[in-house]
Amino acid sequence: MTDVPRLPPPAPAPAPAPADGLRGHCAALRSHAHRLRAGAAALEWRGPQADAFRAEVAALADRCARAADGFALAAAQLDGVHGGVHGGVQGGAHGGVTARGTAAGRSRGRPPR
């Protein structure tokens, strides 16, 4: 019997770029925000407690949307490392978040409450 040379193991698949991961989180958060708003709108419960519940759900949906905007901005900035000035952040690629926003969603110009 002859020895058959062994082939090297296949190379692992390349890891996704960090910006791609951020874009994936962004899409998931936008989906959550959409589902939260749709669920609250479809709720048949009425009264002051229902209104308070809807307000809380709307606030949570807004937080998801703001976080998604932050992820989109971060992904655009990461792309900018390889893609030139601001990586396409200008022109709306950041989903409506200005460069002045912070991770907490506050403008740097205003003190926290």
Side-chain angles (χ1 to χ4, degrees):
M1 189 184 273
T2 61
D3 288 332
V4 177
R6 293 185 186 211
L7 297 175
D20 292 338
L22 290 172
R23 279 188 279 277
H25 289 305
C26 176
L29 284 165
R30 289 193 198 286
S31 174
H32 290 319
H34 176 74
R35 287 190 331 228
L36 284 166
R37 288 185 180 112
L43 200 65
E44 294 182 16
W45 181 26
R46 301 288 175 236
Q49 291 174 333
D51 293 341
F53 179 76
R54 282 187 190 85
E56 288 294 322
V57 172
L60 181 58
D62 289 345
R63 288 176 62 191
C64 288
R66 273 194 309 275
D69 289 345
F71 280 129
L73 177 60
Q77 289 173 340
L78 281 174
D79 288 340
V81 171
H82 303 289
V85 177
H86 300 302
V89 172
Q90 296 172 344
H94 53 79
V97 175
T98 65
R100 291 179 41 136
T102 65
R106 294 184 304 268
S107 171
R108 290 186 184 143
R110 286 185 286 162
R113 294 182 191 203

